[in-house]
Amino acid sequence: GNIVISTGTDNLTTVTIQPDGNIVIVAPTKITMTTPEVEMSGNLTVLGKADVTGEVTGNGIELSTHTHAVLAADFGNTDVPS
């Protein structure tokens, strides 16, 4: 069966370790991690908004400075995001 750790009389905050190895964390307001680095392997799915402080890089391309080539050669590249 599941191993469940809960807090409070209403059990709104729980950590459940399931027999298949999945871990489910339920927190009614927020989860805070304080560490110099977080590393994950596998896919990441975010349901909602992601606020990021610092640079975002995907496949070696920095989000804040990337441009796109314009189809018509006379126009050059787009401006960097503002």
Side-chain angles (χ1 to χ4, degrees), residues 20-38:
D20 61 6
N22 287 326
I23 299 173
V24 178
I25 301 171
V26 177
T29 55
K30 178 168 68 171
I31 296 172
T32 301
M33 291 189 294
T34 303
T35 181
E37 187 171 329
V38 175

Side-chain angles (χ1 to χ4, degrees), residues 1-6 11 13-26:
N2 292 338
I3 298 171
V4 179
I5 302 167
S6 61
N11 294 325
T13 302
T14 61
V15 177
T16 303
I17 303 171
Q18 300 173 334
D20 61 6
N22 287 326
I23 299 173
V24 178
I25 301 171
V26 177

Side-chain angles (χ1 to χ4, degrees), residues 31-56:
I31 296 172
T32 301
M33 291 189 294
T34 303
T35 181
E37 187 171 329
V38 175
E39 182 176 319
M40 292 185 268
S41 62
N43 298 323
L44 173 66
T45 302
V46 176
L47 304 176
K49 185 172 115 176
D51 291 321
V52 178
T53 301
E55 186 61 73
V56 175

Side-chain angles (χ1 to χ4, degrees), residues 46-76:
V46 176
L47 304 176
K49 185 172 115 176
D51 291 321
V52 178
T53 301
E55 186 61 73
V56 175
T57 304
N59 284 340
I61 300 170
E62 294 180 343
L63 181 62
S64 67
T65 58
H66 81 284
T67 61
H68 295 266
V70 178
L71 294 178
D74 295 338
F75 295 108

